[in-house]
Amino acid sequence: MTTHHQHYINGAFVADQHDKWIEVINPATEALLSRIPEGTKHDAAQAIAAAEAAQPGWEALPAIERGNWLRKIAAGIRQHEPELTATIVAEGGKTQGLAQTEVLFTADYLEYMAEWARRYEGEIVNSDRPNENIFVFKKAIGVTTGILPWNFPFFLIARKAAPALVTGNTIAIKPSELTPNNAAIFAQIIHEIGLPKGVINFVYGYGPEVGQELAANPTVGLVSLTGSVGAGIATMQAAAKNVTKVSLELGGKAPAIVMDDADLDLAVKAIVSSRVINTGQVCNCAERVYVQEGIYDRFISALTAAMKQVKFGNPAEQTDIDMGPLITEAALGRVEKKVANAVAEGGKVVLGGKRVGGKGFYFEPTIITGVRQEMEIMQEEIFGPVLPVMAFKTLDEAIELANDCEYGLTSSIYTQNLNTAMIALRKLKFGETYINRENFEAMQGFHAGWRKSGVGGADGRHGLEEYLQTHVAYLQFS
């Protein structure tokens, strides 16, 4: 019997009143997994109203008590880890190892953010006047909302909710309609531990309906979205009429620069890892590779050998694979079209290049050479297991090519020369740069993009401060 999930609003599972449902499909088998309600603006408004009613009482709790609630949620996640892992594998097509890592990293993230309860602070500033102090208080924004993607659906709940809650905000969240089942388990966990009602709310549905209300509702003080550039623009437009603060993590087209003095084995291993993780469906994946001419042939040979070893299949049935399927038939079609366009423009498929027949949305690990900077494959996000590779002569040329893109999320460089690395750090125009390692951020860092890759950011102290606003008080005394 197919599971029918319900919204979670104001501490209760709310039955859908409209009898309109969205089907959730297993991308590895194309089997029906569940149905979720096709929520409306009214449902989203109810979730926001619940968050608004809960917020004053939640903010009034000492921060350490709010942090303790995050720890309770983390403990509940650890208890439900097998169920959560299996759910993420089934609905997202992740490998079992990556799904389990996401679950445990989410618990770690909640505990990490709980530690900030005693650490975030305001300031006392010297005044120009005698007998006066200037206080800078850091206060909660109020009601926040989160609009989630499908590629790391469980972790993104915590990335948005944990800093919101520890700083005294409440939140209403829209999970992706493609991967909502993990959120239903998260809702069950917070229900079981007795989190005060209205502090976290989940409402299902599509972006143009539910997402727009989460961004446009005048009660909302901050809307945080992770998704495409198009979704980010729509969110900004909806939020603009109320001058609502936005925090957006959008697309990426991460360049990987391989210098001729690089540790070749390390570079190949890291770039392959950074491309095939989650079948290439990660915004900070290595999306284009620039290799210095002196090692280009050797690099292509080594890269081809490594990509040939990449195993894929149904992640629910195989544990020794590196990647699963793409998320939907439409995603598979987009990757297939980008490869075909690259070939039509003069690119050469060295490895792979085709969808895999039968059930499931599988695409072969693919390498394309003979590409040029102006080609679509080098400018637009692929979001699949495809690596276009291009040669360059000098570091300055490589940096110019890397920066020649509307995205600015992540980048990487492989070199054993400290001066080369420092020059690259000075000149690369990206929110993050990885040197001699795979593209994967740390929770205590700051994940933020430049240009069309986003506004604001997440993680660490700077990510926490996205959920705070200042209140300055001038106190004169005699």
Side-chain angles (χ1 to χ4, degrees), residues 59 83-84 102 115-116 121 168 189 266 281 287 302 313 342 351 396 420 427:
E59 185 179 7
E83 178 188 5
L84 282 162
E102 180 175 355
E115 295 171 2
W116 279 98
E121 57 193 21
I189 290 169
L266 182 152
Q281 301 170 119
E287 276 263 344
L351 179 71
D396 283 344
T420 299
K427 294 184 177 182

Side-chain angles (χ1 to χ4, degrees), residues 37-49:
E38 186 179 330
T40 65
K41 290 183 179 180
H42 175 71
D43 296 319
Q46 283 190 314
I48 291 167

Side-chain angles (χ1 to χ4, degrees), residues 299-337:
F299 178 85
I300 291 294
S301 177
L303 181 69
T304 303
M307 287 284 274
K308 281 181 179 178
Q309 298 303 311
V310 172
K311 297 179 181 178
F312 61 91
N314 184 343
E317 298 177 352
Q318 298 170 266
T319 59
D320 63 338
I321 57 174
D322 305 293
M323 66 181 201
L326 293 165
I327 188 65
T328 62
E329 171 67 35
L332 179 61
R334 283 193 295 271
V335 173
E336 187 176 41
K337 184 178 179 181

Side-chain angles (χ1 to χ4, degrees), residues 7 84 172 239 290 390 471:
H7 304 303
L84 282 162
Y290 300 101
M390 179 176 166
H471 178 192

Side-chain angles (χ1 to χ4, degrees), residues 147 207-208 211-213 215-216 223 225 228-241 246 248 250:
I147 303 172
Q212 281 287 294
E213 181 65 20
V223 54
L225 172 139
S228 68
V229 172
I233 291 171
T235 298
M236 290 186 82
Q237 289 173 335
K241 67 179 182 179
V246 297
L248 308 174
L250 308 178

